[in-house]
Amino acid sequence: MFFKRFKKVFITFLTLFIIPINTLAYSNYIIAGGENIGISINSKGVLIIGKYSINGKNINNNLKNGDIITKINNKNINNIEDMTEILNNNDNINITYIRDNKEYTIKLELINENGIIKTGLYVKDNITGIGTLSFIDPNTKLYGALGHEVAEKNTGIILEVKDGKIFESTVTSIDRSSSGNPGSKEAILDSNKINGTIEKNTTNGIFGKYTDTIPNKHKYKVANPDNIKLGKAKILTVINNKNIKEYDINIIRINKKDNNNKNILFEITDKELLNKTGGIVQGMSGSPIIQDNFIIGAVNHVIVDSPTNGYGIFITKMLEEAEK
């Protein structure tokens, strides 16, 4: 009798208290990034990025750039080394690959040229580059960077992450932007000084756990898109060594209805930044945008024909993506 009565009370208690007030767990105050970071992503499977002829013959023409090889002879393929080992030890090869989210299996033609097994395929299993850290949530230790996806440059394919890391880098020089020609940061990478893992690669950025010591930096309040206004703001970024500096921008337009990640249109007004970079350069993606002591977004796109102008993504979009 006591058990039945307790059960009824317990169910009532749950009914009263398990209704979520807020489904999002990110903090109201987060650490703004600005640090230049190295990025390394290992893909799930091996990505085909090109083809070559062998003795004037093109083989395996049923495969296309962007196809992802996941299995050979029904064995999982995680990297190029796995693929090479199986190819060198088998004559009859069946490969399984992904195209447009569908799985196919076909026979792979091989040619033995002077003892070297050739497939006529150029493949890749890793991407390395640089970008800018956008934020760290000190409570969850989740971070976000870039504000856009990491895609393989030859195919435009967004790599599905097997694993990856962000790590320290030092900016050594700037290749300035000009109309029609976005510049870039040049940097030295130190892959031994790891800052965090990469667990997700999405159109809203790369995300993972920050595993290094959380920086003792100012925490900015997270701005709801309704708090953002036109006019003056700042970006935090590195254009020399590891020195994070604030640079002035002017917000021209705010797009709250845009379903992609081009939410904040801005122009760079800071004379120092314009003199050194000519505008937005590659590697600046992810630079946090600050307005009135709020973190409101992150730089993610340059307008190629007018590199003093660019776009940013709402920081709330990145925080929501980090938690999914």
Side-chain angles (χ1 to χ4, degrees), residues 80 83 143 172:
I80 293 172
M83 182 175 176
Y143 78 85
T172 55

Side-chain angles (χ1 to χ4, degrees), residues 76-284:
N76 292 332
I77 299 299
N78 293 313
N79 50 49
I80 293 172
E81 287 74 17
D82 290 346
M83 182 175 176
T84 302
E85 181 179 355
I86 295 176
L87 294 181
N88 287 336
N89 291 285
N90 291 273
D91 295 324
N92 296 315
I93 300 294
N94 291 307
I95 70 162
T96 301
Y97 64 95
I98 304 295
R99 179 188 298 169
D100 298 328
N101 297 317
K102 294 181 180 180
E103 186 177 83
Y104 303 90
T105 299
I106 62 169
K107 183 176 180 180
L108 184 70
E109 185 177 353
L110 304 177
I111 291 181
N112 188 325
E113 187 175 72
N114 299 321
I116 300 174
I117 301 298
K118 295 187 175 182
T119 62
L121 303 172
Y122 292 115
V123 295
K124 180 182 284 189
D125 61 7
N126 172 276
I127 288 181
T128 301
I130 64 170
T132 302
L133 184 68
S134 303
F135 69 85
I136 305 168
D137 186 328
N139 291 336
T140 64
K141 294 187 177 180
L142 294 173
Y143 78 85
L146 294 188
H148 61 69
E149 71 281 2
V150 175
E152 199 285 317
K153 66 179 181 180
N154 295 293
T155 62
I157 295 294
I158 301 175
L159 286 192
E160 187 175 358
V161 177
K162 179 172 75 72
D163 55 55
K165 61 184 178 180
I166 59 171
F167 47 90
E168 290 190 13
S169 68
T170 303
V171 177
T172 55
S173 63
I174 299 289
D175 177 17
R176 297 179 81 255
S177 286
S178 58
S179 180
N181 182 33
S184 62
K185 295 182 182 183
E186 303 298 327
I188 296 173
L189 306 182
D190 189 347
S191 59
N192 292 318
K193 295 183 178 178
I194 299 171
N195 302 133
T197 63
I198 298 176
E199 298 173 9
K200 297 172 64 178
N201 177 24
T202 79
T203 54
N204 290 336
I206 59 171
F207 304 92
K209 281 285 187 179
Y210 197 84
T211 56
D212 201 358
T213 303
I214 302 292
N216 184 20
K217 294 169 60 177
H218 177 73
K219 297 180 181 68
Y220 290 89
K221 189 170 184 179
V222 174
N224 184 282
D226 291 334
N227 302 135
I228 305 170
K229 58 190 179 183
L230 302 181
K232 293 181 180 180
K234 296 180 182 293
I235 62 171
L236 306 179
T237 199
V238 174
I239 60 173
N240 180 54
N241 207 330
K242 296 182 179 180
N243 304 319
I244 303 172
K245 291 189 66 175
E246 293 184 347
Y247 298 100
D248 295 327
I249 64 170
N250 180 53
I251 296 175
I252 302 169
R253 188 169 69 238
I254 301 165
N255 190 346
K256 299 176 185 177
K257 297 180 180 179
D258 194 347
N259 290 325
N260 62 28
N261 55 17
K262 294 180 180 178
N263 305 121
I264 303 169
L265 176 63
F266 66 91
E267 61 181 346
I268 294 176
T269 57
D270 194 284
K271 291 183 178 179
E272 179 186 357
L273 187 59
L274 290 172
N275 287 336
K276 291 186 177 180
T277 67
I280 301 168
V281 297
Q282 297 175 68
M284 205 177 280

